[in-house]
Every structure is written in structure tokens, then in C-alpha cells.
Amino acid sequence: MPWIVGVSGASGTPYAAAVLRALLAGGDSVDLVVSRASRLTLLDETGISFRDAHWRDDLRDWLGRGADGKPDTFEVDVDTDAVRYWGAGDLAAGPSSGSYPAKGMLIVPASTACVAGVALGLSKDLLQRAASVTLKERRTLVVAVRETPLSGQTLRHLVALDDAGARVVPASPAFYAGATHIQDLVDFVAGRVLDSAGVPHGLYRRWTGELGGATRPA
């Protein structure tokens, strides 16, 4: 069964790329939903135009870039059998139904508009619909919200998601893992998203209970 990965319009497309690379490297299948707003963010942050007709080439280009925007940083094989792409406007897509088998859903990054839509059950596009389905089927839903500061309204929406069983993971990098590059900070957040979904990975150095561990060689 696949993991559904939803990418909303919030800043933070490198977080989504890191999560996708880790899932594919671990042998997981992915159903990918890229919102219309996220295409603008992706274009702004990477220069990549994500096109429905050429999504595989565009995805390969995206996942190959490092968090600093440098192309060909990673070698990524976008296997036909491992990734299935669904248009954000396709409300008849597989993930729109509870009978469609999936392990759960990761929304990374999650904008405040996306958070509100899921919390209120609006289902205005496939990303929101798939998240609503994930909640009603009691599957794992991880919401990596990326915004600061947070308004009271958004905080109430996040509490509603938590009450509904979602796992709210703010995109807040930590420094105890010994980050020396922007990619390390991105991988930390991506790793915490995967931790919340119970997905094994090796994206960051874990806390061992020893002070000063971040300064020691990995």
C-alpha cells in the first residue's frame, strides 16, 4: 500500500523533496498530490514548472536538487511502479475514496489554508479530500505545518486536527543533530515527519542522552 504525500502551497518544498526521497529509498510506494498553489511555490523556490503531462521528468528534477537549490545533488530513480501522480483537481482519483488502500497521508509542507480546509472538512481539492478520507478511515495523517507566527484561528484548526487524530509536526529544525548545512536542517524536519508516521529512515542523528553529541563526528 502506498503513502499519500500531499504538497500544499506553503514555503518549504525542500521538506517535501526530502520526505519523498526517503520514502522511495526505503522501498515505499507513493501516491503524490501537488496542489495548484504549491506549483507556484515550487517554481519560486526551485525554478521548476511542475507539469501534469511531464510530471515524472519534473519530479526527477525536483528530487535531484539539494535544499540549496543546486541541481543533480541527489540521484533519484522515479520508478513507474513506485510513484503514482494524481492531479489536484481530480476528485474521482483513488485517494478520494476510503476504499482505496493506503497506509496514510503526509502533508508536507502544510499551509494554513490547507490546515483550515482539512480541519473544516472542506474537501475543495484532492489534497483536502484525501486528508479527510485519511481521518475518517482512522489512518495516519501527519500535517507538517509551515507558518510563523501562528494566528489564534490556525492554532484552533491545529487543535481540531489533533483532536481528530492527526499528528501535527511543525517544520521546526533542531540543532542537536550537528547540522552543518541547510540540507541537514531540512532532513531533520523530514525525518520527524517520517518518525510520526512510523517510517524508518536515517535522515538525522538521534539524541542519545550525551551532551555535546552534535559536535562529534557522525
Side-chain angles (χ1 to χ4, degrees):
M1 291 191 295
W3 283 101
I4 302 168
V5 177
V7 186
S8 81
S11 176
T13 54
Y15 294 131
V19 166
L20 288 166
R21 281 193 299 265
L23 289 173
L24 295 176
D28 281 296
S29 297
V30 172
D31 277 25
L32 179 62
V33 182
V34 179
S35 76
R36 291 186 177 93
S38 69
R39 296 177 189 229
L40 297 176
T41 307
L42 185 62
L43 179 63
D44 185 51
E45 294 183 345
T46 69
I48 296 171
S49 296
F50 198 89
R51 303 159 295 175
D52 286 344
H54 303 281
W55 69 266
R56 197 175 303 281
D57 291 336
D58 296 336
L59 179 62
R60 186 179 294 108
D61 185 7
W62 177 22
L63 299 190
R65 292 177 184 253
D68 57 3
K70 184 179 179 181
D72 302 320
T73 300
F74 299 96
E75 288 189 16
V76 180
D77 180 21
V78 183
D79 192 306
T80 303
D81 296 328
V83 182
R84 189 170 188 180
Y85 170 72
W86 302 95
D90 186 2
L91 292 177
S96 68
S97 172
S99 65
Y100 184 79
K103 293 179 180 178
M105 183 174 184
L106 316 175
I107 305 178
V108 54
S111 66
T112 55
C114 174
V115 166
V118 177
L120 297 174
L122 299 183
S123 296
K124 73 170 188 177
D125 61 10
L126 179 59
L127 195 158
Q128 292 184 13
R129 172 60 186 168
S132 295
V133 167
T134 301
L135 286 176
K136 79 179 183 68
E137 296 295 326
R138 300 294 190 265
R139 296 170 184 161
T140 298
L141 175 64
V142 181
V143 180
V145 61
R146 214 306 309 163
E147 184 60 271
T148 189
L150 294 171
S151 69
Q153 187 177 47
T154 297
L155 289 169
R156 286 188 286 272
H157 289 152
L158 291 172
V159 169
L161 288 177
D162 180 75
D163 289 343
R167 295 160 190 189
V168 177
V169 181
S172 302
F175 296 85
Y176 62 77
T180 59
H181 188 274
I182 187 175
Q183 188 66 55
D184 298 323
L185 298 175
V186 167
D187 285 347
F188 179 87
V189 171
R192 295 301 286 153
V193 169
L194 295 171
D195 287 344
S196 294
V199 177
H201 66 87
L203 288 177
Y204 69 89
R205 176 168 26 194
R206 297 183 181 279
W207 176 251
T208 62
E210 297 182 23
L211 293 176
T215 62
R216 300 191 189 107

